[in-house]
Amino acid sequence: MTDTIITQETDMPKEEVDLDCTDYYINRELSWLAFNHRVLEEAEDEATPALERLKFLAITSSNLDEFFMVRVGSMKDQEKHGITTPENKAGMTPRQQLEAMSREAHKMVAKQYRIWNEALLPNLEIKGISFVKPDDLNEEQDAFLRTYFYDRIYPVLTPMAVDASRPFPMLLNKSVNLAVTLESESDGKSKILFAVVQVPSVLPRYIELPITTTAEKQFVLLEDVICHYIDFLFKGNRICAVKPFRITRNADMTLDEEGAEDLLKEIQKELKKRRWGAAVRLEVTEEMDEYMKGILQESLEIEPSDIYEVKGPLDLTFLMKFSQLPGYSDLRYPHLASQPPADFIGENNIFEAIAHKDILVHHPYESFDPVIHFVKQAAEDPNVLAIKQTLYRVSGDSPIVAALAKAAENGKQVTVLVELKARFDEENNIVWAKKLEKAGCHVIYGLVGLKTHCKITLVVRQEGQSLKRYVHLGTGNYNDSTARLYTDLGMFTCKEPFGIDASYIFNHLSGYSKPPKFKKIEAAPHGLRNKILQLIDNEIAMSTPDQPGRIILKMNSLTDKKLIKALFKASAAGVKIDMIIRGICCLRPGIPGVSENIRVISIVDRFLEHSRIFYFQNGGDDNVYLASADWMTRNMERRVEIMFPIEVVSLKERVKKILDVLLQDNVKARVLDSSGVYTRVEAQPGEKRIHSQLAFHAAAVKNAKKIRQTPYMKQLKPKTHIDV
């Protein structure tokens, strides 16, 4: 494929278009910030219940933390090492990106606190929930707080002086701290001193006060309590000022996998370094004086643009836990009950069900329980000989990990690929890896230089005189917690070609097997991108003015330049392309002659859109695929990923219907224009409002009403709630 296309405007001569033109691309980092802005819009939306708005504000803050730790940290490393080469899409140098990222991040933080102060706090007070300062307490509350401080807080605190003999302390990443200036007198002379007090993360961030007549519930923040009683830590000195601050550090790990003798030990070593990386952001309250800011800036060696002054509490991630305040159901989304999967209707045994037909499950609208039950039943079934599974991110108390351990204890051959390099889950995954090894599982860590991101489970079962392979393939992780929060699709099958491919994948991951020639599955990093390019080329070839080609893509992010160029060529050839991309999108749609046939929408709602679905019209003989991979360069080149076809006509129709509903969403969808701006899609007068996530749940409920309460279906606990 060439890097140019020939376009022809009406009454204009043909013109060659250079697909490397930076005007056709959106910078990855700025696109991510735009996504986080869409999350923030959910906190701003008055139609969102009050406590749910707090969640979205917390998510925005948590996302920003990771953005600074990884993306800003990486960009600063590039600049530190003298890299001035522009990135290959939007053409921005590391310095230009850092400046643009800083401008957008400052705007976002200002908006966060504007929403907090002008919308959320007043709204909570109307509902009888308020945050107060220690100075505003009545006598009863003051007495309670004083006792609480002496008994629960004071013994944990450690004041840290900063002077010639005691340098500025190495403070933990993301910790909230207090900067203190004091005046000390000695020999009739006064001297200004500086100290730091870390706000203990082991203590609750907020404290509920005794009920008063002014509000149903009142809370005070931990740092405010410590500030109020700070003089007890520095007796004999006069407190001049005490203000909170927070440091975010570079946490982008660099592993030398080729030189590592033991990957597990190497990652454990890097995890310790992560806590103490270079500072990339300093958050302070806007009341902090210039003297304090100057000391912190000099000590942390950061630029003025890395300082974020906020009007309110630092680290709004605490609002995620606060939003779970007992009671107040009227301030939350209504509970949605996860339903038994439609394709298990009337089936009594999970292996019999899969042997009968391919089965599709749509989470969280349909229960994740069959996936757990698949592994649990395999662990107990005397006919099951082996279980093989990939684990990327698992929950804190994973029933799947417990089932795998049980299977090994029952004498089955259990092989588990635990991806130790899953970012910010490394420590958790190390714990699971050791637990599984102790239970007798064969634990492998994948291939050097690659992350294993594919979602696949293989169960080998003795049936009569032969072996049968049962396979689960999915778009989401084997995590029962996030399965209640993320939208994903999974397929169960026992068709031989899928079983053979699953065996190929595990043999490749665990041994020295060369990449195989797959029968059904396509895998990265070897053939996935080429397969996608072939599918796009095929759509171009089959497209005519009377019957234009059609592509529908759903994913989390689109950044890969080779795939974007292919989509540009398809658009220029008249192929109609719709994309549902929740997060980063580096493709700029709506450019005449380049991307005018491409429409991009993003849906941000109560559940995180996580499934990857790829549809190609193929001249009417539809090709429908599910995948673990987004269309990012890292997924195509540096991860083990899978893409698998949906071949059963009824399941194809289900997936196509899912795409249709998503494309019709006019409640939570935003559309991307050629300038890079997202605008919410609004229902027109007289037009039916389509809220895709509620529509999917309603469909799952409708299907569940048809279910006969067979023994197997009772095991699935159809009343399980989706907690959000």
Side-chain angles (χ1 to χ4, degrees), residues 516-536:
K517 185 175 182 180
F518 291 107
K519 296 179 179 298
K520 295 292 182 182
I521 293 172
E522 289 293 339
H526 302 290
L528 181 55
R529 184 195 272 134
N530 284 340
K531 176 64 175 180
I532 293 170
L533 291 173
Q534 288 171 14
L535 289 165
I536 296 172

Side-chain angles (χ1 to χ4, degrees), residues 407-446:
E409 291 165 4
N410 287 342
K412 302 183 189 306
Q413 181 75 33
V414 180
T415 303
V416 187
L417 187 293
V418 179
E419 181 46 76
L420 296 182
K421 295 165 287 184
R423 183 175 284 141
F424 300 120
D425 261 342
E426 299 97 341
E427 204 160 358
N428 186 40
N429 286 359
I430 287 171
V431 171
W432 288 127
K434 289 181 176 179
K435 179 178 179 178
L436 289 165
E437 283 181 332
K438 191 174 181 180
C441 300
H442 176 216
V443 178
I444 52 180
Y445 304 138

Side-chain angles (χ1 to χ4, degrees), residues 266-549:
E266 190 70 22
I267 290 176
Q268 287 176 316
K269 193 191 308 178
E270 286 296 321
L271 284 174
K272 292 177 182 177
K273 293 180 185 178
R274 177 180 278 172
R275 300 180 180 185
W276 317 114
V280 294
R281 175 178 60 165
L282 170 63
E283 296 169 272
V284 301
T285 58
E286 63 178 15
E287 298 88 1
M288 181 177 281
D289 60 56
E290 294 301 318
Y291 175 72
M292 273 187 175
K293 273 191 287 188
I295 292 176
L296 293 173
Q297 183 182 341
E298 182 179 356
S299 301
L300 297 170
E301 299 179 336
I302 61 171
E303 302 175 36
S305 59
D306 297 324
I307 301 175
Y308 288 74
E309 298 181 13
V310 304
K311 187 178 182 180
L314 301 175
D315 188 11
L316 294 174
T317 60
F318 82 91
L319 293 173
M320 181 59 75
K321 186 174 182 180
F322 186 81
S323 70
Q324 298 164 17
L325 205 59
Y328 299 101
S329 59
D330 59 316
L331 304 185
R332 295 185 173 86
Y333 288 128
H335 273 304
L336 299 181
S338 180
Q339 304 297 312
D343 288 345
F344 277 113
I345 292 173
E347 302 292 350
N348 294 305
N349 175 284
I350 195 161
F351 293 117
E352 289 177 6
I354 300 168
H356 181 236
K357 60 184 178 182
D358 286 0
I359 289 172
L360 191 73
V361 283
H362 190 193
H363 311 303
Y365 318 105
E366 295 181 325
S367 173
F368 189 70
D369 285 351
V371 181
I372 298 170
H373 191 69
F374 179 55
V375 184
K376 279 186 174 181
Q377 188 166 322
E380 299 290 348
D381 189 335
N383 294 320
V384 168
L385 305 181
I387 305 172
K388 301 184 181 185
Q389 187 169 34
T390 59
L391 295 179
Y392 190 73
R393 300 185 195 274
V394 292
S395 65
D397 188 20
S398 172
I400 285 180
V401 169
L404 292 169
K406 182 69 173 176
E409 291 165 4
N410 287 342
K412 302 183 189 306
Q413 181 75 33
V414 180
T415 303
V416 187
L417 187 293
V418 179
E419 181 46 76
L420 296 182
K421 295 165 287 184
R423 183 175 284 141
F424 300 120
D425 261 342
E426 299 97 341
E427 204 160 358
N428 186 40
N429 286 359
I430 287 171
V431 171
W432 288 127
K434 289 181 176 179
K435 179 178 179 178
L436 289 165
E437 283 181 332
K438 191 174 181 180
C441 300
H442 176 216
V443 178
I444 52 180
Y445 304 138
L447 301 171
V448 172
L450 300 173
K451 282 186 182 180
T452 303
H453 191 249
C454 57
K455 330 296 183 183
I456 182 168
T457 305
L458 170 65
V459 173
V460 182
R461 192 169 186 260
Q462 180 80 45
E463 295 185 1
Q465 298 301 310
S466 61
L467 297 182
K468 195 165 191 174
R469 285 176 276 210
Y470 292 83
V471 182
H472 174 266
L473 307 166
T475 68
N477 301 313
Y478 290 110
N479 186 318
D480 56 297
S481 294
T482 58
R484 297 193 293 269
L485 304 171
Y486 293 10
T487 73
D488 274 303
L489 288 163
M491 184 181 77
F492 294 94
T493 185
C494 64
K495 288 179 178 172
E496 188 65 10
F498 287 95
I500 292 171
D501 283 355
S503 293
Y504 282 159
I505 288 170
F506 281 106
N507 291 342
H508 179 54
L509 291 172
S510 63
Y512 290 111
S513 169
K514 291 184 178 180
K517 185 175 182 180
F518 291 107
K519 296 179 179 298
K520 295 292 182 182
I521 293 172
E522 289 293 339
H526 302 290
L528 181 55
R529 184 195 272 134
N530 284 340
K531 176 64 175 180
I532 293 170
L533 291 173
Q534 288 171 14
L535 289 165
I536 296 172
D537 281 348
N538 179 65
E539 207 61 35
I540 293 172
M542 301 191 78
S543 182
T544 67
D546 293 333
Q547 284 191 314

